[in-house]
Every structure is written in C-alpha cells, then in structure tokens.
Amino acid sequence: NAGVTQTPKFQVLKTGQSMTLQCAQDMNHEYMSWYRQDPGMGLRLIHYSVGAGITDQGEVPNGYNVSRSTTEDFPLRLLSAAPSQTSVYFCASSYYRGPTDTQYFGPGTRLTVL
Amino acid sequence: AQSVAQPEDQVNVAEGNPLTVKCTYSVSGNPYLFWYVQYPNRGLQFLLKYITGDNLVKGSYGFEAEFNKSQTSFHLKKPSALVSDSALYFCAVRDPGGNEKLTFGTGTRLTIIP
C-alpha cells in the first residue's frame, strides 16, 4: 500500500491565485481530513469527511473548499490564495469505527503565498 | 472543549539518558490520547495511544507513555535516548463522546545530544 499520498510537495502561489492540493489513500478509509501546521500552533483541522459525498468544517475552514466524490480522494481547494494561507498542509485518513482509530498522515505540502 | 498542552517547546537530552516529553489534557469525559512524531520534512507518524486499561502504554521505537488521570497528564518516556529520536513530538486528544476530531498540542522539539 502507498498509504496516504499528497501532491504537490511544494508550491508557490501569488495572492489571488487558486489551486488544488491533492490527497489520496489506498487503505479504503472512510474518514479523511486536512490539517494545516503553523509554527507554535500545532496542527489545526481545516475540513474533514466521514465518507464519499459527506464533508464538514473543522476549526479553520475559511478560504478552503473540499469535496469527496470517491472514497480514495479528498482534494483541498484554495479559491483565492492569501499570504495567511502560507503553511504546511497535511492530509490524514482513518477507518471510521470510532474515536479510538489511529489517523495516518501524508507527507505534507509546503505552500507559500506571496 | 477539548484541549492539549505541551508546556515545553524544546527538550534537550544527552544520548543514553532517559527522556520525558510532557503533555496535559482537558476533556469532558475519559480521554483518548495519542502521541505522534514528525521527522524533518515528513508527515506525522503514530507512536502510541491510550484508550482504556493499563496506565502504561508501550509504543513504537521503544517509547512508552504513562496516563495519569488525577494529574490529567500523558507524558511520553523512553529509558535510553538515541540520537535518531531527535524530532518534533505531538500529543493529541480525542473526546470519546464527540466525533473524530483530533486536537493537537503545539509540539515539543526533542534534541538528543551525542
């Protein structure tokens, strides 16, 4: 299994540009989520999904959109990038059997918005 | 609301000495607690978790953690530190009565000095 994969690894955007961060998993996990990691702030949940066709907002959803058309893929869209969105983004997945489940993380995407 | 505190941003330990990385939590009920490790330019890797039962939990790479309900703590420990243990460590908590949301601490950078 490849586990959780993310593309691209690095991205530089100009303010106002849009882009999509890709996330895929091959473990048949129902639950997928996006986090951003900023220095001194740990990881903060942006959006999550408990299955295909179902998404919900996390702690910091503003400026981001998600969709979940398949079990495997969970892309994160930035419609109009802002410098405040400069961060490292992690996708994670787990089975949806309950809160004891372990989340598996992708390698991350480092995004810089100029 | 659930929360996690990692009071030390940085911990330095000599190689071969025991190490402790501190974590305290706040949840409304009995917590589910997790430790993750992040190596440079990598995603988070699961180390161990406490769900119920024995207060001493053993995990990957020789790490263990002790759950202390009265002190609301879940400190990560290792009897003999290796240089390869140098990394960023995150404690996380999940409310058993809530959803899948995982709340992370701000992280502790562990440096093992040869």
Side-chain angles (χ1 to χ4, degrees):
Chain A
N1 286 351
V4 181
T5 58
Q6 292 182 237
T7 56
K9 289 187 178 180
F10 302 94
Q11 183 71 50
V12 179
L13 292 178
K14 294 181 180 178
T15 297
Q17 287 185 316
S18 63
M19 80 158 295
T20 299
L21 308 185
Q22 301 292 344
C23 174
Q25 53 88 13
D26 60 358
M27 297 175 282
N28 203 29
H29 285 167
E30 297 98 328
Y31 181 86
M32 296 185 74
S33 56
W34 277 101
Y35 294 87
R36 59 177 289 172
Q37 182 182 22
D38 301 292
M41 302 192 74
L43 277 77
R44 293 181 291 169
L45 182 65
I46 304 171
H47 285 285
Y48 66 96
S49 168
V50 299
I54 306 169
T55 63
D56 206 346
Q57 295 181 351
E59 186 182 353
V60 288
N62 292 341
Y64 308 95
N65 281 350
V66 292
S67 60
R68 184 95 179 269
S69 57
T70 67
T71 299
E72 294 78 19
D73 300 300
F74 190 45
L76 178 72
R77 296 186 188 86
L78 284 70
L79 298 179
S80 179
S84 61
Q85 293 178 305
T86 294
S87 187
V88 181
Y89 292 85
F90 289 101
C91 179
S93 73
S94 67
Y95 291 109
Y96 190 53
R97 294 168 302 196
T100 64
D101 286 347
T102 299
Q103 290 198 24
Y104 296 87
F105 285 80
T109 295
R110 186 174 295 274
L111 175 67
T112 301
V113 182
L114 303 175
Chain B
Q2 59 199 47
S3 66
V4 173
Q6 293 182 245
E8 300 160 319
D9 292 336
Q10 173 82 40
V11 172
N12 297 326
V13 177
E15 186 179 19
N17 282 4
L19 68 88
T20 299
V21 182
K22 296 179 180 177
C23 171
T24 59
Y25 66 89
S26 174
V27 295
S28 56
N30 293 320
Y32 296 143
L33 294 156
F34 301 77
W35 274 103
Y36 284 84
V37 59
Q38 184 181 28
Y39 297 103
N41 301 314
R42 303 285 296 276
L44 276 72
Q45 296 179 28
F46 169 75
L47 274 181
L48 51 81
K49 64 183 176 183
Y50 172 81
I51 305 302
T52 187
D54 210 351
N55 289 343
L56 188 63
V57 179
K58 294 189 183 296
S60 306
Y61 311 121
F63 283 93
E64 57 190 25
E66 185 171 11
F67 172 66
N68 187 318
K69 188 173 182 178
S70 62
Q71 297 185 3
T72 61
S73 66
F74 189 55
H75 300 333
L76 182 70
K77 300 181 180 183
K78 188 173 182 181
S80 179
L82 301 173
V83 173
S84 57
D85 293 329
S86 298
L88 189 57
Y89 290 81
F90 289 97
C91 183
V93 67
R94 186 180 275 148
D95 186 338
N99 55 27
E100 292 275 326
K101 181 172 181 279
L102 201 57
T103 299
F104 285 86
T106 53
T108 298
R109 186 164 298 282
L110 176 66
T111 301
I112 307 303
I113 302 166

